[in-house]
Amino acid sequence: MSEGRYLSAREAAEELGVSVRTLYAYVSRGLVRSEPGEGRKKRYRAEDVRALKRRREVRRDPARAVEGILGWGVPVMESGIARISEGRLYYRGRDAVELSRRATFEEVAALIWLGDEGRVSEVFGGAPSGLSSRLRAAREQVGHLTPLEVFQVILPVAASEDLAAYDLRPEAVARTGARILRTMAAVAGEECGGDGMAETLRRGWDAGDGRLLEAVLILCADHELAVSTFAARCAASAEATPYAVVLAGLAALQGRKHGGALDLVEVFLKEVEDAGDARDAIVRRLRRGDGVPGFGHVLYPAGDPRGAEIMRILRERLPGSGAVAFAEEVAEAVLEIMGERPTLDFGLVVLARALELPPGAAVALFAVGRTVGWVGHAIEQYASGGLIRPRARYIGEVPGADG
């Protein structure tokens, strides 16, 4: 491979098993991107070549290809929402980190849902900022539950009051998404109204820094086909309402290999505190074979940009925070011993500790942010009209095998 990210014409043609002339045809059809190289030669994007190679292999032998197609890193459907490329995350072609520094959460929602961050008033203008009497009563009855569990109780009640949720046209779904977000923010923030979702949460949690929460919500908004997003998209493919789509996403998010991983990060940090020595605690976990949660992401070999940005914001906005200083020491120890950097999960837990948020607030923040992505994928799936219905490879007892 030439320079890691690029291939020469000969290398690209050999990778695809075609002639150089056929490679040029692929370039002219937009299947492979080329850029100027040395002299008059051109170089070709390695990721495009490999993506095309995978698609051709699926067409030639779909039965064989499907064996691993739902595993890590293999694209299984098209989406125009999020792209992870060269260590960065993009929403509709815009760098997510840069958006988190300048945009509002509502602008990013409008961008993801309708492709235009300027349509905020159209999407959010008519969404109520408070809870109905029924929702308020339901909220009071489940106050002992975690915020994520409260969402799962309240949203079906909200859905029963929202007949417009059955309108699955893109603009209508976007407006329903706005109502869902306002309900979730009012529930998590205990109905302390604000100009936007971040402000509602800030007031309810007495968090002190609304811009910090705004940035984190944006960084949580989407991440391709994470398991919760795939679950949400499957629900949308059956034309379930946006409320049911979000509930499907919440069910998956609750698992310990997804949003539940935040609890594991909290346990790890508590272990470090109890040990009084980050390196000792890390080594003990590795000896037990437990691993270190909150560090290293398979899609970001050089470090999760979302986790890095949250830690940067915390350093900048809370310079005297003991919780942030402690987290930095832990991160330095993990980097020294394992060569891994903080993920979004670690950043969310540190943020909750630094701001002294109520229990469950970190995953609630994750859920509110990711709801934007779930609704965005629902809009895409409704538009496609397709039902996601893969087949299973049967490995059980063969009927009549015993004679």
Side-chain angles (χ1 to χ4, degrees), residues 1-2 6-24 26-27 32-35 37 40-45 49:
M1 185 190 303
S2 301
Y6 300 97
L7 301 172
S8 67
R10 180 182 57 78
E11 289 171 330
E14 288 179 356
E15 183 84 13
L16 291 168
V18 299
S19 66
V20 172
R21 179 174 293 182
T22 300
L23 172 67
Y24 296 156
Y26 290 153
V27 173
V32 177
R33 289 169 291 178
S34 66
E35 298 180 6
R40 299 177 62 184
K41 295 182 179 179
K42 289 189 175 182
R43 57 183 186 176
Y44 302 83
R45 288 287 187 99
V49 171

Side-chain angles (χ1 to χ4, degrees), residues 212-281:
L212 203 163
L213 295 182
E214 190 103 57
V216 172
L217 285 170
I218 291 169
L219 292 170
C220 291
D222 196 62
H223 205 231
E224 284 190 349
L225 287 179
V227 61
S228 60
T229 304
F230 190 68
R233 192 142 185 162
C234 286
S237 79
E239 296 194 351
T241 71
Y243 284 91
V245 166
V246 172
L247 285 164
L250 287 170
L253 185 68
Q254 203 170 28
R256 65 181 181 181
K257 290 187 176 181
H258 198 2
L262 273 65
D263 292 335
L264 302 180
V265 175
E266 183 63 54
V267 169
F268 164 59
L269 292 178
K270 186 65 169 60
E271 286 180 7
V272 175
E273 287 175 334
D274 292 343
D277 185 320
R279 288 165 180 76
D280 181 58

Side-chain angles (χ1 to χ4, degrees), residues 36-292:
E38 295 181 2
R40 299 177 62 184
K41 295 182 179 179
K42 289 189 175 182
R43 57 183 186 176
Y44 302 83
R45 288 287 187 99
E47 61 180 315
D48 291 353
V49 171
R50 294 191 179 112
L52 177 59
K53 182 179 180 180
R54 284 195 297 268
R55 290 199 296 272
R56 293 171 68 230
E57 288 172 348
V58 168
R59 286 197 298 270
R60 283 199 301 265
D61 190 356
R64 180 183 175 190
V66 80
E67 291 179 5
I69 205 163
L70 294 181
W72 262 104
V74 182
V76 297
M77 62 179 59
E78 295 181 345
S79 173
I81 296 175
R83 175 183 173 86
I84 299 169
S85 177
E86 298 172 7
R88 308 298 295 176
L89 171 64
Y90 301 89
Y91 301 149
R92 301 247 181 238
R94 296 160 179 80
D95 190 296
V97 169
E98 292 303 318
L99 284 171
S100 75
R101 294 176 181 176
R102 65 163 182 82
T104 68
F105 180 52
E106 288 74 17
E107 286 172 339
V108 171
L111 172 67
I112 287 177
W113 294 344
L114 300 179
D116 184 354
E117 58 189 279
R119 298 177 70 176
V120 172
S121 59
E122 174 188 342
V123 173
F124 288 89
S129 59
L131 301 176
S132 69
S133 57
R134 286 182 66 211
L135 290 174
R136 201 172 295 115
R139 175 69 179 87
E140 291 174 359
Q141 291 178 6
V142 295
H144 60 288
L145 300 178
T146 67
L148 204 62
E149 292 169 331
V150 173
F151 292 155
Q152 292 173 303
V153 172
I154 294 296
L155 286 181
V157 180
S160 71
E161 299 179 346
D162 191 353
L163 298 182
Y166 291 97
D167 187 344
L168 303 185
R169 293 174 298 173
E171 289 78 7
V173 175
R175 290 191 291 271
T176 299
R179 294 192 294 275
I180 291 172
L181 279 177
R182 286 210 186 277
T183 298
M184 294 173 74
V187 166
E190 298 185 2
E191 216 169 352
C192 292
D195 295 332
M197 258 54 72
E199 179 62 15
T200 297
L201 294 172
R202 185 197 69 77
R203 291 183 182 179
W205 292 338
D206 192 22
D209 193 332
R211 184 57 215 172
L212 203 163
L213 295 182
E214 190 103 57
V216 172
L217 285 170
I218 291 169
L219 292 170
C220 291
D222 196 62
H223 205 231
E224 284 190 349
L225 287 179
V227 61
S228 60
T229 304
F230 190 68
R233 192 142 185 162
C234 286
S237 79
E239 296 194 351
T241 71
Y243 284 91
V245 166
V246 172
L247 285 164
L250 287 170
L253 185 68
Q254 203 170 28
R256 65 181 181 181
K257 290 187 176 181
H258 198 2
L262 273 65
D263 292 335
L264 302 180
V265 175
E266 183 63 54
V267 169
F268 164 59
L269 292 178
K270 186 65 169 60
E271 286 180 7
V272 175
E273 287 175 334
D274 292 343
D277 185 320
R279 288 165 180 76
D280 181 58
I282 293 164
V283 171
R284 277 192 289 167
R285 288 188 68 89
L286 293 176
R287 283 174 177 165
R288 296 197 305 264
D290 289 343
V292 178

Side-chain angles (χ1 to χ4, degrees), residues 72 84-89 223 295-306 335 338-343:
W72 262 104
I84 299 169
S85 177
E86 298 172 7
R88 308 298 295 176
L89 171 64
H223 205 231
F295 289 85
H297 197 299
V298 68
L299 296 179
Y300 302 108
D304 186 339
R306 303 166 302 168
L335 181 61
M338 302 179 62
E340 300 288 5
R341 301 177 187 275
T343 64

